[in-house]
Short mmCIF file of all heavy atoms in Angstrom, two decimals:
data_model
loop_
_atom_site.label_atom_id
_atom_site.label_comp_id
_atom_site.label_asym_id
_atom_site.label_seq_id
_atom_site.Cartn_x
_atom_site.Cartn_y
_atom_site.Cartn_z
N LEU A 1 -31.53 35.76 -44.35
CA LEU A 1 -32.85 35.27 -44.01
C LEU A 1 -33.85 35.38 -45.16
O LEU A 1 -34.70 34.50 -45.34
CB LEU A 1 -33.41 36.03 -42.80
CG LEU A 1 -32.97 35.54 -41.42
CD1 LEU A 1 -33.51 36.47 -40.34
CD2 LEU A 1 -33.44 34.11 -41.17
N ASP A 2 -33.77 36.44 -45.93
CA ASP A 2 -34.77 36.65 -46.97
C ASP A 2 -34.28 36.25 -48.36
O ASP A 2 -34.88 36.61 -49.38
CB ASP A 2 -35.22 38.11 -46.96
CG ASP A 2 -35.96 38.46 -45.68
OD1 ASP A 2 -36.88 37.69 -45.32
OD2 ASP A 2 -35.61 39.45 -45.02
N ALA A 3 -33.21 35.47 -48.39
CA ALA A 3 -32.73 34.93 -49.67
C ALA A 3 -33.56 33.70 -50.05
O ALA A 3 -34.01 32.95 -49.18
CB ALA A 3 -31.26 34.54 -49.55
N PRO A 4 -33.76 33.47 -51.35
CA PRO A 4 -34.45 32.25 -51.76
C PRO A 4 -33.62 31.04 -51.38
O PRO A 4 -32.38 31.07 -51.43
CB PRO A 4 -34.58 32.40 -53.28
CG PRO A 4 -33.54 33.40 -53.66
CD PRO A 4 -33.37 34.31 -52.49
N ILE A 5 -34.29 29.97 -51.01
CA ILE A 5 -33.59 28.79 -50.52
C ILE A 5 -32.67 28.19 -51.58
O ILE A 5 -31.66 27.55 -51.27
CB ILE A 5 -34.61 27.74 -50.00
CG1 ILE A 5 -33.92 26.68 -49.15
CG2 ILE A 5 -35.38 27.12 -51.15
CD1 ILE A 5 -33.28 27.20 -47.89
N GLN A 6 -32.97 28.42 -52.85
CA GLN A 6 -32.14 27.86 -53.93
C GLN A 6 -30.73 28.43 -53.94
O GLN A 6 -29.83 27.82 -54.51
CB GLN A 6 -32.80 28.10 -55.29
CG GLN A 6 -34.03 27.25 -55.56
CD GLN A 6 -35.29 27.88 -54.97
OE1 GLN A 6 -35.25 28.97 -54.38
NE2 GLN A 6 -36.42 27.19 -55.14
N ARG A 7 -30.51 29.59 -53.30
CA ARG A 7 -29.15 30.12 -53.21
C ARG A 7 -28.24 29.14 -52.47
O ARG A 7 -27.05 29.03 -52.77
CB ARG A 7 -29.15 31.47 -52.49
CG ARG A 7 -27.76 32.07 -52.32
CD ARG A 7 -27.76 33.36 -51.53
NE ARG A 7 -28.54 34.41 -52.19
CZ ARG A 7 -28.68 35.64 -51.69
NH1 ARG A 7 -28.11 35.95 -50.52
NH2 ARG A 7 -29.40 36.55 -52.33
N TYR A 8 -28.81 28.43 -51.50
CA TYR A 8 -28.03 27.51 -50.68
C TYR A 8 -28.29 26.05 -51.03
O TYR A 8 -27.46 25.19 -50.75
CB TYR A 8 -28.35 27.75 -49.20
CG TYR A 8 -28.25 29.20 -48.83
CD1 TYR A 8 -29.40 29.98 -48.66
CD2 TYR A 8 -27.02 29.83 -48.68
CE1 TYR A 8 -29.33 31.32 -48.34
CE2 TYR A 8 -26.94 31.18 -48.37
CZ TYR A 8 -28.09 31.92 -48.20
OH TYR A 8 -28.01 33.26 -47.90
N VAL A 9 -29.46 25.79 -51.62
CA VAL A 9 -29.83 24.42 -52.00
C VAL A 9 -30.26 24.44 -53.46
O VAL A 9 -31.46 24.40 -53.77
CB VAL A 9 -30.96 23.87 -51.09
CG1 VAL A 9 -31.14 22.37 -51.33
CG2 VAL A 9 -30.67 24.13 -49.62
N PRO A 10 -29.32 24.53 -54.38
CA PRO A 10 -29.68 24.67 -55.79
C PRO A 10 -30.41 23.46 -56.36
O PRO A 10 -31.07 23.57 -57.40
CB PRO A 10 -28.32 24.89 -56.49
CG PRO A 10 -27.30 24.41 -55.53
CD PRO A 10 -27.86 24.64 -54.17
N SER A 11 -30.33 22.31 -55.67
CA SER A 11 -31.04 21.12 -56.16
C SER A 11 -32.54 21.19 -55.90
O SER A 11 -33.30 20.37 -56.44
CB SER A 11 -30.47 19.86 -55.49
OG SER A 11 -30.67 19.89 -54.09
N PHE A 12 -32.99 22.17 -55.11
CA PHE A 12 -34.43 22.34 -54.89
C PHE A 12 -34.98 23.20 -56.02
O PHE A 12 -34.57 24.35 -56.19
CB PHE A 12 -34.69 23.00 -53.54
CG PHE A 12 -36.14 23.08 -53.17
CD1 PHE A 12 -36.88 21.93 -52.95
CD2 PHE A 12 -36.78 24.31 -53.03
CE1 PHE A 12 -38.22 21.99 -52.59
CE2 PHE A 12 -38.12 24.39 -52.69
CZ PHE A 12 -38.84 23.22 -52.47
N PRO A 13 -35.92 22.69 -56.80
CA PRO A 13 -36.37 23.40 -58.01
C PRO A 13 -37.05 24.73 -57.69
O PRO A 13 -37.63 24.93 -56.63
CB PRO A 13 -37.37 22.42 -58.63
CG PRO A 13 -37.07 21.10 -58.03
CD PRO A 13 -36.57 21.38 -56.65
N GLU A 14 -36.97 25.64 -58.65
CA GLU A 14 -37.71 26.90 -58.55
C GLU A 14 -39.20 26.60 -58.51
O GLU A 14 -39.69 25.70 -59.18
CB GLU A 14 -37.39 27.80 -59.74
CG GLU A 14 -35.94 28.22 -59.85
CD GLU A 14 -35.58 29.34 -58.88
OE1 GLU A 14 -36.53 29.97 -58.34
OE2 GLU A 14 -34.38 29.58 -58.69
N LYS A 15 -39.93 27.39 -57.72
CA LYS A 15 -41.38 27.26 -57.62
C LYS A 15 -42.03 28.53 -58.17
O LYS A 15 -41.34 29.49 -58.51
CB LYS A 15 -41.78 27.03 -56.16
CG LYS A 15 -41.11 25.80 -55.51
CD LYS A 15 -41.50 24.50 -56.19
CE LYS A 15 -40.83 23.30 -55.55
NZ LYS A 15 -41.22 22.02 -56.19
N PRO A 16 -43.36 28.56 -58.28
CA PRO A 16 -44.00 29.78 -58.82
C PRO A 16 -43.70 31.03 -58.00
O PRO A 16 -43.79 32.15 -58.53
CB PRO A 16 -45.49 29.42 -58.76
CG PRO A 16 -45.54 27.94 -58.84
CD PRO A 16 -44.33 27.46 -58.10
N TRP A 17 -43.35 30.86 -56.71
CA TRP A 17 -43.00 31.99 -55.86
C TRP A 17 -41.68 31.68 -55.16
O TRP A 17 -41.34 30.52 -54.95
CB TRP A 17 -44.07 32.23 -54.79
CG TRP A 17 -45.47 32.30 -55.30
CD1 TRP A 17 -46.09 33.38 -55.85
CD2 TRP A 17 -46.45 31.25 -55.29
NE1 TRP A 17 -47.38 33.08 -56.18
CE2 TRP A 17 -47.63 31.77 -55.85
CE3 TRP A 17 -46.44 29.92 -54.86
CZ2 TRP A 17 -48.80 31.02 -55.99
CZ3 TRP A 17 -47.58 29.16 -55.00
CH2 TRP A 17 -48.74 29.71 -55.57
N PRO A 18 -40.95 32.69 -54.76
CA PRO A 18 -39.72 32.45 -53.99
C PRO A 18 -40.06 31.85 -52.62
O PRO A 18 -41.08 32.20 -52.01
CB PRO A 18 -39.11 33.84 -53.84
CG PRO A 18 -39.77 34.69 -54.89
CD PRO A 18 -41.14 34.13 -55.08
N VAL A 19 -39.21 30.95 -52.16
CA VAL A 19 -39.31 30.37 -50.81
C VAL A 19 -38.06 30.78 -50.07
O VAL A 19 -36.94 30.44 -50.48
CB VAL A 19 -39.41 28.83 -50.86
CG1 VAL A 19 -39.50 28.27 -49.44
CG2 VAL A 19 -40.60 28.39 -51.70
N THR A 20 -38.21 31.53 -48.98
CA THR A 20 -37.05 32.08 -48.30
C THR A 20 -36.68 31.29 -47.04
O THR A 20 -37.48 30.52 -46.51
CB THR A 20 -37.29 33.54 -47.88
OG1 THR A 20 -38.29 33.58 -46.86
CG2 THR A 20 -37.74 34.39 -49.07
N VAL A 21 -35.47 31.52 -46.58
CA VAL A 21 -35.00 30.90 -45.35
C VAL A 21 -35.90 31.29 -44.19
O VAL A 21 -36.30 30.44 -43.37
CB VAL A 21 -33.54 31.31 -45.06
CG1 VAL A 21 -33.08 30.80 -43.70
CG2 VAL A 21 -32.62 30.82 -46.17
N ARG A 22 -36.24 32.57 -44.09
CA ARG A 22 -37.10 33.06 -43.02
C ARG A 22 -38.44 32.30 -43.00
O ARG A 22 -38.92 31.89 -41.93
CB ARG A 22 -37.36 34.55 -43.19
CG ARG A 22 -38.20 35.16 -42.06
CD ARG A 22 -38.64 36.59 -42.42
NE ARG A 22 -37.52 37.47 -42.69
CZ ARG A 22 -36.89 38.17 -41.75
NH1 ARG A 22 -37.26 38.07 -40.50
NH2 ARG A 22 -35.89 38.97 -42.09
N GLN A 23 -39.03 32.14 -44.16
CA GLN A 23 -40.32 31.46 -44.23
C GLN A 23 -40.21 30.00 -43.81
O GLN A 23 -41.08 29.48 -43.09
CB GLN A 23 -40.88 31.57 -45.65
CG GLN A 23 -41.31 32.99 -46.01
CD GLN A 23 -41.48 33.20 -47.51
OE1 GLN A 23 -40.96 32.43 -48.33
NE2 GLN A 23 -42.20 34.25 -47.88
N LEU A 24 -39.14 29.34 -44.20
CA LEU A 24 -38.97 27.93 -43.82
C LEU A 24 -38.77 27.79 -42.31
O LEU A 24 -39.24 26.82 -41.71
CB LEU A 24 -37.80 27.32 -44.58
CG LEU A 24 -38.01 27.11 -46.08
CD1 LEU A 24 -36.73 26.67 -46.74
CD2 LEU A 24 -39.13 26.10 -46.33
#
């Protein structure tokens, strides 16, 4: 849940802050 989304969707670019599964 608290992993950055890029771990599973590497095509989504890094942002200034991590975006997690839980947050989405």
Side-chain angles (χ1 to χ4, degrees):
L1 277 175
D2 294 311
I5 195 64
Q6 288 85 1
R7 178 184 298 181
Y8 310 103
V9 191
S11 62
F12 186 65
E14 298 282 345
K15 303 298 180 179
W17 310 278
V19 179
T20 68
V21 174
R22 183 191 302 272
Q23 291 163 340
L24 290 173

